[in-house]
Amino acid sequence: MIPSRPASIEASALVREFKKGPRAVDGIDLHVAPGEIYGFLGPNGAGKSTTTLMLTTLLPPTAGSARVAGYDVVREGPAVRAAIGAALQEAALDPLLTGREHMRLQTALHGLPRAERAARGEELLERIGLREAADRKVGGYSGGMKRRLDLALALVHRPRILFLDEPTTGLDIQSRAALWQEVSRLAADDGVTVFLTTQYLEEADVLADRVGIIDHGRIVAEGTPAQLKSQIGRPSVEVVPLDAGQRGPLAAVLARFGEPTGASPNGVAVRLRGGERDLAEVVRALDAEHIAVEHIQLHAPSLDDVFLAKTGRSLEGAGDQPQPEEAANREPIAAHSGATA
Amino acid sequence: MSPRRRLLGTQVRTLARRSVVRTLRQPAQLVPAFIFPLFLLAVNTGGLQRATRIPGFPTHSYLTFALAIPFMQGALFSVMNAGTDLARDIESGFLNRLALTPLRGPALLAGLLAGAIVTALAQATTYILVGLVAGASFAAGAAGVAVIFALAILITLGFGAIGLFAALRTGSGEAVQGLFPVLFVTLFLSSMSLPRNLIHTVWFREVATYNPVSYLIEAIRSLLITGWNAQALELGFGLAAAIALAAMVAASVALRNRLERT
């Protein structure tokens, strides 16, 4: 049904401006290889959903170009739509229809032959574990059931590329894990390319082969989770003193081991110059200076550290903060590590 | 039949079925469309029977005279139902889901309107049965009833498309519902309660004369009271077709703007 063209996503200097609004997407470049799970990570309002809407042909770009499955998203919209499946933000379902009726609707609208429709619907309902609930109205489904149905509906026409826009937002841990499992299986077993937007670090870390971090409409970092974390390079140690009055001496001791980095309000943290091996020395130095410690923790670099280093803000809650005027005026990682969240 | 045309047919049928299923599963939306017009018919017939004594009044039965009105009121409910359903699809993102399929714009509009027409046919059957039981006359006979059904469908198409247009322009169910009182006023400013030649207040008669709703009512009324009146039918069908055409064109343009898909 879908012509055999390369399944990948490419974008070049993609821009979307809204009337009287900001540049929601400000010149992004993308290259997603066939069969890859690409995590598009960023806070609320960073431009993730706008990018997804452009790549799925639902919103024309203001400038730049993009090709999905080898087709131009502006000039070859119908061909793009035939090659992709999408579960966009919020499960868009009809609360008055049952799960099975949704399947019938979607298979018919996609033009599956009549003889195949019921079988395909049943196969997908079985795969997502909704067969028993298939004749219940969707209005009574849990959030996880809705998301799974949403995913199944995106798959009825066997797309080679799947767009998932924050698919696990608002789900409990079990539902989230079940969805991750299904997405991983799709990529591994069926070779489906997955473009996944998320604001959850863990989701990007667990699922994605490569991650692009977007902030203020620009991609600020891109690579495999391991590559990105290795850019940060070294772990950090955070110490909370028993006596808050000792924060000054504590900071002086820790400064011997590395440069300051973001810490909790009562703590002091440094990125360890010598890596994990410095931890024992840190403990000995604190003991020598008679600094009583309430809490000490070694942090391995995370994607949040990458986001912090690239943007000066922590990803958690970043979307709720006022947006700085100069998104471009960002310091390099090494020079920036003194900024705290 | 070409594959493209076959797919269009499948899409229209699928969306029409969804529209009907949705309507049947929302009794709170469906019941007023049946009960409210019949309630007004009963009140008007009971209270205004003496109006038939006015010299020049075309019939001795106010029931027969007023039986045309529920068809118009039913059509107004189709504005609400079709428009509100589409607005909900826009608000919930369901329209985006549809836009990602090979769905063609005309299929979406036709599917939604088909659901409104099924409801309109059920309403028309109810009004005619109630009229028969209550003793209304049908001067044009069984063929006239068939013509009433045809006109009711055309009127529903037009008013339903107005609802779709409002939904597509605003994307808001509240905005569509806000349209209902406005359209309801146009019904009252027509020849709904009295023949135009018996309206003595000049401005009211003028408004009723320019109000197309008057001619839609008079076309149905002519089949009930006088039999086959070519002029009334031409005006009624002509205006209903013009409203349907204009509203469909407006809804199609609004759909194209709403679905920015490339």
Side-chain angles (χ1 to χ4, degrees), chain B residues 109 113 157-158 161-162 165 168 241-257:
Chain B
L109 297 180
L113 288 174
L157 264 180
I162 290 172
F165 168 71
L168 288 163
I243 292 169
L245 185 66
M248 291 284 278
V249 169
S252 300
V253 172
L255 178 64
R256 206 174 308 138
N257 291 336

Coordinates of all heavy atoms in Angstrom, one line a residue, chain B residues 109 113 157-158 161-162 165 168 241-257:
Chain B
L109 N -18.0 16.8 5.3 CA -19.2 17.6 5.3 C -20.4 16.7 5.0 O -21.4 16.8 5.7 CB -19.1 18.7 4.4 CG -18.0 19.8 4.6 CD1 -18.0 20.9 3.6 CD2 -18.1 20.4 6.0
L113 N -23.5 15.9 7.5 CA -24.9 16.3 7.1 C -25.8 15.1 6.9 O -27.0 15.2 7.2 CB -24.8 17.1 5.8 CG -24.2 18.5 6.0 CD1 -24.0 19.2 4.6 CD2 -25.1 19.4 6.9
L157 N -30.3 20.4 5.1 CA -29.0 20.5 4.5 C -28.5 21.9 4.6 O -27.3 22.1 5.0 CB -29.1 20.2 3.0 CG -28.8 18.8 2.5 CD1 -28.9 18.7 1.0 CD2 -27.3 18.4 2.9
G158 N -29.3 22.9 4.3 CA -28.9 24.3 4.3 C -28.6 24.7 5.8 O -27.5 25.3 6.0
A161 N -25.6 22.9 7.2 CA -24.3 23.5 6.7 C -24.0 24.8 7.3 O -22.8 25.1 7.5 CB -24.4 23.6 5.2
I162 N -25.0 25.6 7.7 CA -24.7 26.8 8.5 C -24.1 26.5 9.8 O -23.1 27.1 10.2 CB -26.0 27.6 8.7 CG1 -26.5 28.2 7.4 CG2 -25.8 28.8 9.7 CD1 -27.9 28.8 7.4
F165 N -20.5 25.5 9.1 CA -19.7 26.7 8.8 C -19.3 27.4 10.1 O -18.2 27.8 10.4 CB -20.5 27.6 7.9 CG -19.9 29.0 7.8 CD1 -18.8 29.2 7.1 CD2 -20.5 30.1 8.4 CE1 -18.2 30.5 7.0 CE2 -20.0 31.4 8.3 CZ -18.8 31.6 7.6
L168 N -16.7 25.5 12.0 CA -15.4 25.5 11.3 C -14.7 26.9 11.5 O -13.5 27.0 11.6 CB -15.5 25.2 9.9 CG -15.8 23.7 9.6 CD1 -16.3 23.4 8.2 CD2 -14.5 22.8 9.9
A241 N -32.7 25.7 -1.7 CA -31.5 25.2 -2.5 C -30.4 26.3 -2.4 O -29.2 26.0 -2.3 CB -31.9 24.9 -3.9
A242 N -30.8 27.6 -2.5 CA -29.9 28.7 -2.5 C -29.2 28.7 -1.2 O -27.9 28.9 -1.1 CB -30.5 30.0 -2.8
I243 N -29.9 28.6 -0.1 CA -29.3 28.6 1.3 C -28.4 27.4 1.4 O -27.3 27.6 1.9 CB -30.5 28.5 2.4 CG1 -31.3 29.8 2.4 CG2 -29.9 28.3 3.7 CD1 -32.5 29.8 3.2
A244 N -28.8 26.2 0.9 CA -28.0 25.0 1.1 C -26.7 25.2 0.3 O -25.6 24.9 0.8 CB -28.7 23.8 0.6
L245 N -26.8 25.7 -0.9 CA -25.6 25.9 -1.8 C -24.7 26.9 -1.1 O -23.4 26.6 -1.0 CB -26.0 26.4 -3.2 CG -24.9 26.5 -4.2 CD1 -24.4 25.1 -4.5 CD2 -25.4 27.2 -5.5
A246 N -25.2 28.1 -0.7 CA -24.3 29.1 -0.2 C -23.7 28.6 1.1 O -22.5 28.8 1.3 CB -25.2 30.3 0.1
A247 N -24.5 27.9 2.0 CA -23.9 27.4 3.2 C -22.8 26.3 3.0 O -21.8 26.3 3.7 CB -25.0 26.9 4.1
M248 N -23.1 25.5 2.0 CA -22.1 24.4 1.7 C -20.8 25.0 1.2 O -19.7 24.5 1.5 CB -22.7 23.4 0.6 CG -23.8 22.6 1.1 SD -23.3 21.3 2.2 CE -22.8 20.1 1.0
V249 N -20.9 26.0 0.3 CA -19.7 26.6 -0.2 C -18.9 27.3 0.9 O -17.7 27.1 1.0 CB -20.1 27.7 -1.3 CG1 -18.9 28.5 -1.7 CG2 -20.6 27.0 -2.6
A250 N -19.7 28.0 1.8 CA -19.0 28.7 2.9 C -18.4 27.7 3.8 O -17.2 27.9 4.3 CB -20.1 29.5 3.7
A251 N -19.1 26.5 4.1 CA -18.5 25.5 5.0 C -17.3 24.9 4.3 O -16.3 24.6 5.0 CB -19.6 24.5 5.3
S252 N -17.3 24.7 3.0 CA -16.2 24.1 2.3 C -14.9 25.0 2.4 O -13.8 24.5 2.7 CB -16.5 23.8 0.8 OG -17.6 23.0 0.7
V253 N -15.2 26.3 2.2 CA -14.0 27.2 2.3 C -13.5 27.2 3.8 O -12.3 27.2 4.0 CB -14.5 28.6 1.9 CG1 -13.4 29.6 2.2 CG2 -14.8 28.6 0.4
A254 N -14.4 27.3 4.7 CA -14.0 27.3 6.1 C -13.3 26.0 6.5 O -12.3 26.0 7.3 CB -15.3 27.4 7.0
L255 N -13.7 24.9 5.9 CA -13.0 23.6 6.2 C -11.6 23.7 5.6 O -10.6 23.2 6.3 CB -13.8 22.4 5.6 CG -13.1 21.1 5.7 CD1 -13.1 20.7 7.2 CD2 -13.9 20.0 4.9
R256 N -11.4 24.2 4.4 CA -10.1 24.3 3.8 C -9.2 25.2 4.7 O -8.0 24.9 4.9 CB -10.2 24.9 2.4 CG -9.0 24.5 1.5 CD -9.2 24.9 0.1 NE -10.5 24.6 -0.5 CZ -11.2 25.4 -1.2 NH1 -10.8 26.6 -1.5 NH2 -12.4 25.0 -1.7
N257 N -9.8 26.3 5.2 CA -9.0 27.1 6.1 C -8.6 26.4 7.4 O -7.6 26.6 8.0 CB -9.7 28.4 6.4 CG -9.7 29.3 5.1 OD1 -8.9 29.1 4.2 ND2 -10.7 30.1 5.0

